[in-house]
Amino acid sequence: NDNDNDNDNHNHKPVFSTDNRHFTDDNTSQSLTLTHITHLQRAQTPGREIVAALISNSSTFRSKTAFSQAKYISKKQQKHMPRCRIVRMTPSALCRAMFLKDARKISNLREDTLGWIMSAANVHAGQRVLVMDGAVQGLVVASCARKMGGYGKIAGVF
């Protein structure tokens, strides 16, 4: 009768290993086709529904480790759920963004260096300022304008 109990135990959910060594990356585990996903995107289906559809149509998702599942979800969310962050545009934020995107366009000017330039120049409201700003896309002129608050004059030479 012990054999009968062993057979009953095989009807339960299978136990998977704690790693993903048995998976092969051959793109056969996803039953949704690219055309179907594109159709969902063109139909303006919300990103979370596309991610849910991808998860439910993946034959290997449930057998992955918790870490791999979280990584899979994160990757699909980044691809199908675009996000944006609204930030107050200041010269330092603009400098940081431009430095990260293409530092050569602003002559590798970092925001801390921009702050040091503004501090050393002692720019404040009510002044007349001459700025030679050809190499950094107008960041120094913008910083002067912000610091002066609309009071004073700036002559920018490019």
Side-chain angles (χ1 to χ4, degrees):
N1 289 351
D2 287 335
N3 291 339
D4 292 337
N5 288 340
D6 287 342
N7 289 337
D8 289 340
N9 288 338
H10 292 295
N11 294 331
H12 290 48
K13 290 183 180 178
V15 177
F16 293 99
S17 64
T18 58
D19 60 21
N20 297 324
R21 280 185 276 186
H22 58 283
F23 292 124
T24 55
D25 189 13
D26 56 3
N27 293 330
T28 58
S29 63
Q30 183 57 254
S31 61
L32 281 181
T33 63
L34 181 61
T35 55
H36 189 260
I37 295 169
T38 306
H39 176 70
L40 288 172
Q41 290 171 337
R42 287 190 180 147
Q44 296 183 348
T45 305
R48 66 179 161 276
E49 290 180 20
I50 295 173
V51 171
L54 287 167
I55 290 170
S56 64
N57 286 294
S58 174
S59 62
T60 58
F61 180 78
R62 299 208 192 319
S63 59
K64 290 183 177 187
T65 62
F67 176 78
S68 292
Q69 287 179 351
K71 185 177 170 183
Y72 179 86
I73 291 170
S74 175
K75 238 170 90 175
K76 298 304 175 186
Q77 284 176 339
Q78 286 178 357
K79 184 172 184 178
H80 299 288
M81 296 172 62
R83 297 178 186 185
C84 69
R85 190 166 109 193
I86 299 172
V87 185
R88 179 182 300 272
M89 190 48 58
T90 62
S92 63
L94 184 61
C95 185
R96 185 178 334 116
M98 290 177 75
F99 186 82
L100 291 173
K101 186 171 174 101
D102 189 3
R104 291 176 297 162
K105 282 189 176 179
I106 57 169
S107 300
N108 294 310
L109 179 71
R110 296 189 325 242
E111 66 178 311
D112 61 325
T113 308
L114 180 62
W116 181 84
I117 291 169
M118 294 306 297
S119 176
N122 194 23
V123 175
H124 55 273
Q127 284 187 317
R128 291 184 351 197
V129 181
L130 174 65
V131 181
M132 182 116 181
D133 188 10
V136 291
Q137 305 289 317
L139 283 173
V140 178
V141 172
S143 295
C144 289
R146 180 171 169 83
K147 189 115 175 185
M148 293 170 69
Y151 299 101
K153 296 183 181 181
I154 301 172
V157 180
F158 293 95

